Amino acid sequence: MPVNLEGCRFFIKTFGCQMNENDSEHVAGLLIRAGAGKAPSPEESDIILVNTCAVRKKSEEKIDSFLGRLSPLKKDRDRVIGVLGCVAQLRRGELFKKRPEIDIIVGPDHYHELASLLSQKREGKLLKTSWNRVWHEIGSAETFRKSRVSAYVPIMEGCDNFCAYCVVPFSRGREKCRPAAKVLAEVQDLAGNGYKEVQLLGQNVTSYRDQETGEDFAGLLRKVSGVEGIEWIRFITSHPKDISPEIARIMADRPNICRQLHLPLQSGSTAVLERMNRGYSREDYLEKAALFKGLMPDIALSTDVIVGFPGETEADFEETLSVLKKVEFANIFSFRYSPRPRTAAARIADDVPLGIKRKRLIILQEVQKEIQLARNRTFIGKTFQVLCSGESQKDAGRYSGRSEGFQVVNFGSPRDVRDRFVDVLITGCGPYSLHGKALL
Ligand code: SF4
């Protein structure tokens, strides 16, 4: 089937995590290769694609409201509206009933054929959400990257862990790993094209295993860190039960692996962690955090926390707060529990009242805010290397970027330093960002 989208303009709206950001860059790259062009807004496009996230009820609600706003656009011209990502995979045909304006629904295992599907003249609606356990390679040449210096590099997809609250095994399927040779080839290609930072991506990168050689994540990380030209390597997401002392040693040993680790805690109570089917206890988590901090005292640890999981008592919640205080995370992502379809937790009573969940979330975020503020104050007067991503969105005339610890740094500079590493003297801070001036 010839793939020709010549003259078509597309717009992609992305919700959710870095995996979705990366998938949207793949989809954009594939459509551009088929002849389509990017449109700056849904109004100016022929194809509108909504790449969705199903991780929480609230994210699904946001997407539903966005889809509702697209409805009038369908009337003024013959546009194609497509839904991609986790909600597409999870809700499938249900979405057509709820939102008749949707034309196509395509799950993550079918993005490689999306341009072809869009170029076919067809009657009626199209649904492509079957599973596949085979990795479909989409390389650098087919990826339209937003940044010229920082790139996502997917290494695996899906999850076999079945945490009781999590929809990912149902929305992204079982784990499949990208061959290590393909990962390395992409990183080398990026280095050759001037990229300075790579983020190795997967729902659970620490489960990585090369199908041919059996190489694990530690082995892959060591090889990636050997690629010349890449100055910062990050990876996300790690599972506390799988992250090994060897990974900590490699990070401590290799200067181009950022001293930053996102290690989802979810709860500080062993009883809750057991019910969540997380596979580690509070003590295991604290031991792993101490191991990384022991080897790299300046490491920036971040985490995810769910409050109000079924059966969570006040004492359980206090235990979560105490882990935050002990570990002193650089950043946290915190959420109220909401039952997700098909998960084990959805079959038990959601018994923590909404008011209590709300109260706990506020307390948790206040405690963390104080921790971050105190931590950030210790950086005043220090100089950080920052990879500048562009002008600050909040502060015209200033620049913004990330430090090695993945902290947002807004700073003044006499010269344009976009897409460059720059030394920044930290002169002030808030709980969520650092401020400073470029030392040029
Ligand atoms: S490890 Fe658990 S929380 Fe993470 S993606 Fe897998 S099932 Fe979801």
Side-chain angles (χ1 to χ4, degrees), residues 159 161-163 165-166 168-169 203-204 239 266 278:
C159 187
N161 282 312
F162 292 91
C163 297
Y165 53 82
C166 182
V168 164
Q203 268 84 26
N204 199 5
H239 196 304
Q266 309 302 4
R278 288 290 286 169

Side-chain angles (χ1 to χ4, degrees), residues 23-92:
D23 284 343
S24 291
E25 290 187 349
H26 282 161
V27 167
L30 290 163
L31 299 191
I32 289 168
R33 265 172 85 101
K38 282 190 101 179
S41 67
E43 290 77 10
E44 292 163 84
S45 63
D46 309 294
I47 300 167
I48 304 170
L49 298 171
V50 187
N51 193 0
T52 59
C53 168
V55 75
R56 264 166 278 285
K57 194 170 162 220
K58 211 168 159 188
S59 28
E60 270 202 73
E61 287 166 357
K62 262 165 69 181
I63 290 157
D64 188 53
S65 125
F66 182 80
L67 285 166
R69 293 202 296 278
L70 295 181
S71 188
L73 296 183
K74 193 76 188 165
K75 290 183 191 122
D76 70 356
R77 143 164 162 222
D78 187 23
R79 290 188 170 88
V80 173
I81 297 183
V83 179
L84 315 177
C86 296
V87 178
Q89 191 65 49
L90 193 70
R91 301 290 184 187
R92 305 179 193 190

Side-chain angles (χ1 to χ4, degrees), residues 76-260:
D76 70 356
R77 143 164 162 222
D78 187 23
R79 290 188 170 88
V80 173
I81 297 183
V83 179
L84 315 177
C86 296
V87 178
Q89 191 65 49
L90 193 70
R91 301 290 184 187
R92 305 179 193 190
E94 260 178 68
L95 283 172
F96 287 136
K97 287 189 204 131
K98 191 162 187 203
R99 293 278 171 204
E101 59 272 20
I102 298 170
D103 301 289
I104 65 166
I105 294 172
V106 177
D109 272 353
H110 295 275
Y111 295 158
H112 60 288
E113 26 176 0
L114 188 59
S116 161
L117 296 172
L118 287 165
S119 71
Q120 293 166 27
K121 281 254 172 287
R122 67 179 177 277
E123 294 300 317
K125 309 211 176 242
L126 181 96
L127 178 75
K128 274 268 182 181
T129 51
S130 57
W131 289 122
N132 203 326
R133 290 217 69 158
V134 180
W135 179 269
H136 277 289
E137 181 62 16
I138 302 178
S140 258
E142 295 142 321
T143 306
F144 180 86
R145 296 185 198 278
K146 280 191 189 144
S147 167
R148 286 181 295 165
V149 287
S150 178
Y152 297 127
V153 175
I155 66 163
M156 59 85 66
E157 189 180 5
C159 187
D160 293 348
N161 282 312
F162 292 91
C163 297
Y165 53 82
C166 182
V167 80
V168 164
F170 309 99
S171 63
R172 287 278 175 170
R174 303 298 101 81
E175 286 173 6
K176 49 182 177 244
C177 296
R178 187 178 187 190
K182 299 280 186 199
V183 174
L184 275 175
E186 183 163 29
V187 175
Q188 280 156 353
D189 182 65
L190 288 163
N193 282 300
Y195 279 79
K196 299 290 172 215
E197 178 184 53
V198 294
Q199 282 199 52
L200 307 179
L201 291 185
Q203 268 84 26
N204 199 5
V205 291
T206 38
S207 296
Y208 178 83
R209 201 152 289 272
D210 182 89
Q211 294 305 297
E212 242 178 60
T213 62
E215 181 166 59
D216 64 4
F217 180 66
L220 180 72
L221 187 59
R222 195 179 278 115
K223 282 187 178 157
V224 170
S225 79
V227 176
E228 248 179 70
I230 299 296
E231 295 181 41
W232 279 0
I233 298 161
R234 306 180 189 277
F235 53 91
I236 192 166
T237 300
S238 304
H239 196 304
K241 80 177 164 53
D242 299 324
I243 197 150
S244 63
E246 197 189 351
I247 294 172
R249 283 193 292 272
I250 296 168
M251 286 176 74
D253 193 43
R254 303 287 174 116
N256 60 353
I257 304 178
C258 291
R259 294 184 171 210
Q260 176 243 331

